[in-house]
């Protein structure tokens, strides 16, 4: 039984040697190296190519009809395949026979010739070499399959990205056109509301794309603190209720009134539950229900987001947390979404020592997502409330804005002036340094991608000249952790990514 099993595990080598003892001797020599299978015709070799790794053929077996069949089969090989043949030569031939042999060898393609008499070790060595070459071809095939799948995923991702970008951009473009023509219901307030909402959609999309790259590659450092999940959920459900009401959904929250304290990053925890709430709202039809509940379970706490929405088919559940995976492409394209939110939620929960699970009875039967996190068992005597939004600084500041994009520069200047600040503007790095040294502003907002001198060079020169008499804030589209570190090293006091959050800037 053991010998049979080991033989079956060996690669198959087909042998075609109809005369003499070549077939028997080759089979004996290959024992333990390959599973030798003796064939009687070239047609048998042709039919067995797909299940074998190499073939040994005696020269005298290269008869025309069989070679035509074998050659036709070889022409159907996939691009990665170059089947190896070992041809045993050596008997005397006429010139006509020699030409036919050369033609047959050319038709076989990947041929190694061994002149008889062949020492068994020589034959084994040639077969081992052929098998190694075939194994490399199999690995190439696997790489090509993986590459093809990657290209398919890339194309699907780009198609989704194009859809997700065009939808909000289309709404913004339409709103701007209506505002420019002085038309539309409730203009211009309605157009401004549409633009603001769609800008928020674009911001979330870009942030999710950047976050998923950092989180899945392990480049996120959590800012750990004590967070009350009850207070966090209260706030998030209250925020989500606005959209729920617009969509005619009933959204409810059921929690204990006692604080549920976890140690984690408040911003990242908010991302987890915001993504789950957004999904529930997105995939629940009007007059549906969404229930959020918090339950303590010993040393952990579980938050469940349950909806009466479209549900998840059983075959999609195992891959629901895969990057860019979505249950139903047609539905997803109608509802929007990149297939990023659930991956991000799961990765962030795992970083907090927790997990996310999905459950659904099937299509049309709703879904439930549960997040389990470790909890502080011993509650402190006093739990501080979660910090609310930072109060806006109402003190007028002298601000220098260095930004080369005309529209960004103009609109941001107007926003800052509306907030009560005195604003000077510069469009190049050189001009910005000169104005900073001449006017000595209290705060400088500096774009990184500037002409003449980039933002890092501006910060270094201004900091060197003015010391800490000025607050330098990097305003940039570069938001990776290394970009933040580089900005701080150049002398910036803070780093803000575009589009600018005015509350963050004021704070």
């Amino acid at each position: 039984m053991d010998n049979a099993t080991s033989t079956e595990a060996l690669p198959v080598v087909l042998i075609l040697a109809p005369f003499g003892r070549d077939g028997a001797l080759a089979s004996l020599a290959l024992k333990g190296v390959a599973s030798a299978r003796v064939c009687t015709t070239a047609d048998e070799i042709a039919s067995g190519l797909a299940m074998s790794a190499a073939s040994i053929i005696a020269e005298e077996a290269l008869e025309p009809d069989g070679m035509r069949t074998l050659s036709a089969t070889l022409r159907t090989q996939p691009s990665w395949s170059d089947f190896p043949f070992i041809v045993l030569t050596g008997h005397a031939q006429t010139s006509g026979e020699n030409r036919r042999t050369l033609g047959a060898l050319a038709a076989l393609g990947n041929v190694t010739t061994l002149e008889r008499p062949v020492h068994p070790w020589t034959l084994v060595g040639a077969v081992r070499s052929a098998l190694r070459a075939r194994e490399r071809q199999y690995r190439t095939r696997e790489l090509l399959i993986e590459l093809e799948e990657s290209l398919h995923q890339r194309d699907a991702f780009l198609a989704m990205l194009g859809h997700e970008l065009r939808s909000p951009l289309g709404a913004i473009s339409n709103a701007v056109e209506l505002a420019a023509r002085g038309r539309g219901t409730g203009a211009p307030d309605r157009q401004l509301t549409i633009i603001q909402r769609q800008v928020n959609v674009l911001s979330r999309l870009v942030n999710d794309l950047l976050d998923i790259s950092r989180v899945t590659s392990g480049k996120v450092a959590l800012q750990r603190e004590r967070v009350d999940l009850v207070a966090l959920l209260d706030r998030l459900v209250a925020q989500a209720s606005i959209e729920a009401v617009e969509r005619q959904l009933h959204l409810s929250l059921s929690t204990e009134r006692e604080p549920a304290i976890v140690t984690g990053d408040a911003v990242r925890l908010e991302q987890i539950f915001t993504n789950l709430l957004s999904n529930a709202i997105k995939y629940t039809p009007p007059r549906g229900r969404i229930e959020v509940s918090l339950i303590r379970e010993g040393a952990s706490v579980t938050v469940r987001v349950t909806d009466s929405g479209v549900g998840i088919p059983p075959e999609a559940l195992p891959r629901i947390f895969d990057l860019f995976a979505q249950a139903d492409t047609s539905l997803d394209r109608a509802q929007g979404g990149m297939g990023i939110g659930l991956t991000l939620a799961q990765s962030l929960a795992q970083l907090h020592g927790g997990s996310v699970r999905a459950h659904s009875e099937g299509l049309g039967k709703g879904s439930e997502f549960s997040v389990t996190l470790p909890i502080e068992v011993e509650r402190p005597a006093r739990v501080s409330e979660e910090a609310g939004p930072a109060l806006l600084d109402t003190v007028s500041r002298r601000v220098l804005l260095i930004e080369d994009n005309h529209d960004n520069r103009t609109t941001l200047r107007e926003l800052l002036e509306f907030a009560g600040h005195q604003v000077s503007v510069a469009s190049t790095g050189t001009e910005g340094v000169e104005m900073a040294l001449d006017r000595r502003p209290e705060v400088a907002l500096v774009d990184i991608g500037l002409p003449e001198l980039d933002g890092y060079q501006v910060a270094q020169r201004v900091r060197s000249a003015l010391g800490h008499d000025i607050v330098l804030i990097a305003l940039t589209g570069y938001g990776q952790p290394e970009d933040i570190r580089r900005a701080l090293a150049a002398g910036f006091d803070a780093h803000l990514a575009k589009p600018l959050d005015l509350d963050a800037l004021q704070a």
Side-chain angles (χ1 to χ4, degrees):
M1 181 64 70
D2 291 341
N3 289 339
T5 302
S6 61
T7 300
E8 288 299 323
L10 293 173
V12 175
V13 174
L14 304 177
I15 300 175
L16 178 59
F19 309 110
R21 301 185 60 218
D22 284 338
L25 293 175
S27 297
L28 183 62
L30 296 179
K31 188 174 183 180
V33 175
S35 176
R37 297 187 183 176
V38 178
C39 302
T40 57
T41 66
D43 289 349
E44 286 185 55
I45 297 287
S47 62
L49 285 183
M51 304 300 295
S52 57
S55 178
I56 300 172
I57 300 179
E59 182 180 25
E60 56 270 23
L62 301 176
E63 48 88 18
D65 289 341
M67 287 303 101
R68 279 192 290 271
T69 301
L70 191 52
S71 177
T73 302
L74 290 171
R75 285 196 294 272
T76 66
Q77 290 184 108
S79 58
W80 59 267
S81 178
D82 189 18
F83 192 88
F85 292 91
I86 298 170
V87 176
L88 306 180
T89 65
H91 76 288
Q93 292 182 324
T94 65
S95 60
E97 290 175 329
N98 190 49
R99 283 194 297 272
R100 284 196 299 273
T101 298
L102 292 175
L105 294 180
L108 294 179
N110 184 5
V111 172
T112 300
T113 58
L114 297 178
E115 187 174 353
R116 290 175 289 193
V118 180
H119 193 284
W121 288 358
T122 302
L123 179 62
V124 169
V127 169
R128 287 186 187 277
S129 178
L131 294 179
R132 284 195 298 270
R134 191 61 171 168
E135 182 61 30
R136 286 193 293 271
Q137 293 175 31
Y138 289 142
R139 288 198 294 270
T140 299
R141 177 191 62 179
E142 296 302 319
L143 290 173
L144 288 173
I145 291 173
E146 290 178 9
L147 177 60
E148 185 176 350
E149 291 176 351
S150 297
L151 291 174
H152 175 73
Q153 291 177 354
R154 180 207 64 184
D155 292 342
F157 164 68
L158 290 176
M160 285 190 290
L161 179 60
H163 176 278
E164 295 307 310
L165 290 175
R166 287 191 181 97
S167 293
L169 286 174
I172 291 170
S173 177
N174 293 338
V176 169
E177 185 69 19
L178 285 170
R181 294 172 182 265
R183 299 188 178 182
T185 305
D189 291 344
R190 181 175 174 79
Q191 281 79 29
L192 290 175
T193 300
I194 291 172
I195 291 170
Q196 184 176 39
R197 182 165 59 243
Q198 296 305 322
V199 165
N200 289 338
V201 170
L202 287 172
S203 295
R204 285 199 303 270
L205 172 61
V206 172
N207 288 336
D208 277 354
L209 285 169
L210 295 174
D211 273 343
I212 197 63
S213 173
R214 291 194 290 264
V215 171
T216 55
S217 61
K219 294 181 179 179
V220 167
L222 299 180
Q223 304 298 317
R224 294 187 181 273
E225 57 184 315
R226 296 172 64 253
V227 180
D228 179 8
L229 288 185
V230 172
L232 180 63
L233 291 174
D234 272 336
R235 179 167 60 82
L236 295 181
V237 170
Q239 293 172 353
S241 294
I242 299 173
E243 185 178 0
V245 170
E246 290 177 352
R247 290 175 173 259
Q248 303 176 50
L249 302 174
H250 178 76
L251 174 59
S252 63
L253 171 64
S254 172
T255 68
E256 303 175 8
R257 289 299 90 192
E258 289 292 322
I261 306 301
V262 299
T263 301
D265 188 315
V267 174
R268 298 302 184 177
L269 289 170
E270 179 174 330
Q271 278 184 281
I272 295 173
F273 299 116
T274 297
N275 279 330
L276 297 183
L277 274 169
S278 296
N279 264 13
I281 291 173
K282 184 188 300 181
Y283 294 113
T284 302
R287 293 178 293 281
R289 299 181 63 85
I290 301 171
E291 299 175 1
V292 181
S293 60
L294 181 148
I295 302 172
R296 297 175 190 273
E297 298 172 326
S300 65
V301 61
T302 297
V303 176
R304 293 190 175 92
V305 179
T306 307
D307 65 66
S308 60
V310 298
I312 306 169
E315 65 273 14
L317 273 174
R319 56 184 178 84
I320 197 68
F321 293 106
D322 291 350
L323 187 58
F324 307 132
Q326 297 180 328
D328 185 321
T329 303
S330 60
L331 281 174
D332 287 334
R333 298 283 56 79
Q335 299 293 340
M338 289 286 294
I340 294 174
L342 291 180
T343 306
L344 189 57
Q346 183 189 55
S347 299
L348 289 173
Q350 290 171 347
L351 285 176
H352 285 83
S355 63
V356 182
R357 294 187 298 275
H359 174 74
S360 176
E361 295 296 330
L363 286 175
K365 298 182 179 180
S367 307
E368 179 181 278
F369 288 88
S370 57
V371 181
T372 301
L373 298 167
I375 191 174
E376 290 187 7
V377 179
E378 296 183 5
R379 294 196 292 272
R382 179 179 179 276
V383 178
S384 60
E385 293 292 329
E386 181 183 357
L391 295 176
L392 294 183
D393 185 354
T394 57
V395 178
S396 176
R397 305 289 185 186
R398 289 179 288 107
V399 178
L400 170 62
L401 172 61
I402 310 174
E403 165 67 74
D404 64 321
N405 183 282
H406 177 270
D407 290 343
N408 278 339
R409 186 173 65 248
T410 302
T411 53
L412 185 52
R413 177 179 187 169
E414 291 178 3
L415 285 170
L416 290 169
E417 289 178 340
F418 181 77
H421 303 296
Q422 305 168 45
V423 185
S424 302
V425 296
S427 59
T428 70
T430 302
E431 183 185 8
V433 172
E434 292 173 353
M435 292 184 68
L437 300 186
D438 179 52
R439 302 190 183 188
R440 295 181 175 267
E442 297 172 87
V443 180
L445 295 177
V446 186
D447 184 29
I448 294 299
L450 292 169
E452 299 179 8
L453 296 175
D454 65 33
Y456 301 122
Q457 293 170 311
V458 170
Q460 290 166 350
R461 297 190 184 193
V462 172
R463 181 67 72 203
S464 176
L466 302 183
H468 292 282
D469 292 336
I470 184 172
V471 175
L472 294 174
I473 300 175
L475 177 60
T476 174
Y478 301 103
Q480 298 294 325
E482 55 269 25
D483 299 317
I484 298 174
R485 287 193 293 270
R486 185 177 177 188
L488 297 178
F492 283 104
D493 296 289
H495 179 283
L496 295 178
K498 296 178 182 179
L500 184 62
D501 182 334
L502 283 180
D503 288 349
L505 175 59
Q506 291 278 50

